[in-house]
Amino acid sequence: MAYRWFCRLGLEDAVPDHSTFSKNRHGRFRESDAFRQVFESVVTRCMKEGLVGGEGFAVDASVIKADANRSRSTAREGAEDLRDPQHATRAVREYLAALDAQGEPVTVPASISPTDPGARWTAVDGPAFYAYSTNYLIDVRAGIIVDVEATPTLRTAEVKATRTMIERVEERFDLKPKRLIGDMAYGNAELLGWMVNDKGIAPHVPVWDKTQRDDGTLSSSDFEWDERANEYRCPQGQPLRSEWRIFKHPRTRITKANTIIYHASQAACSKCPMKSHCCPNTPRRKIARSVHESARDVARNIAKTDAYKQSRKDRKKVEVLFAHLKRILRLDRLRLRGPNGAHDEFLLAATAQNLRRMAKWLFSAQPEVTSMAI
């Protein structure tokens, strides 16, 4: 009876074949992006109810197991075998279409699932398995999910998804946060540069910094940066420069890693009394400065403020949503395969979480409205 009521069928009407809904989901619904439209309509309603402030966003990702047997895998050398017609399942077709759309060679993982090659082989607190990542962008006022994105379980993909979600929310809802909260995975130099220089967003994230040394020698932070002179000064007052002579044709000196190498004079280093504590294994000291170092400095300065301490507390709202997703909604393993299947399930789950959050918010506010009316 509930099935007939949902389908708007009478007691005498014929019941459609059980595969009708799945075929529509993989065909018309997916092509129309209906699930995205439903999700965004719920976000719009949450905005009207005052649940979205737009001042602060938090971002994070969580790993969800794919519907793929971890004991069945294809080595990277056998990736081309997936193009055989006998492997032409929907998940395989989506994976191959994504590879062809990139237009450039990609790093093939060591292990590929023949049933869902889009899933990534990963290990989180135990044996490895195939999985996808669900990426949440939430508004910290009431913990409403303003965007969600499905990606492989790769840090680079999750960082890229952050930019995609922020730009999409700005385009769809005209919302751009003043601050973005995240863990160290979102503290790489390129993303910080994009937030600070391109979007004007305050990065409330720890800086991903590999320059600190733990062997007793001086770290980059022990050197003083002079912006006007475009050079570092060591504790002994010696300069570290990217160029020690003027070239007829100026050079950027930017490396493939988007850094500029600053080095001291070899003559000065050889006579320095602190050489054994600075560069004991090299003739002179070098420092690789990121082209986004100014944005990294902005993040470091924010980390010293009281607002940053509050942001660390606000970030827990994302973790609560992931715990609710897995323990209450029981989405610890996907039922659909392929990137599009993960996309659909993550969107539907986020929609359900927003509806629950909005219902609780409105219900808790109802007595106040009643008392005011009285």
Side-chain angles (χ1 to χ4, degrees), residues 94-149:
E94 291 177 3
Y95 171 75
L96 296 176
L99 288 182
D100 295 338
Q102 289 178 356
E104 59 182 15
V106 295
T107 302
V108 181
S111 180
I112 301 175
S113 169
T115 54
D116 191 354
R120 196 79 180 188
W121 183 253
T122 185
V124 179
D125 299 330
F129 53 87
Y130 294 105
Y132 288 93
S133 288
T134 177
N135 298 265
Y136 277 6
L137 183 67
I138 74 162
D139 183 271
V140 297
R141 170 179 288 185
I144 295 298
I145 306 167
V146 293
D147 206 351
V148 58
E149 186 76 7

Side-chain angles (χ1 to χ4, degrees), residues 36 40 147-149 161 163-173:
R36 170 68 64 178
E40 292 181 351
D147 206 351
V148 58
E149 186 76 7
R163 300 178 57 166
T164 300
M165 291 189 292
I166 290 176
E167 291 178 339
R168 185 161 52 205
V169 169
E170 183 178 5
E171 177 185 353
R172 303 285 177 86
F173 306 112

Side-chain angles (χ1 to χ4, degrees), residues 287-302:
I287 295 178
R289 179 180 175 86
S290 170
V291 296
H292 305 292
E293 194 65 29
S294 59
R296 286 156 58 90
D297 289 338
V298 170
R300 293 188 183 102
N301 292 331
I302 290 176

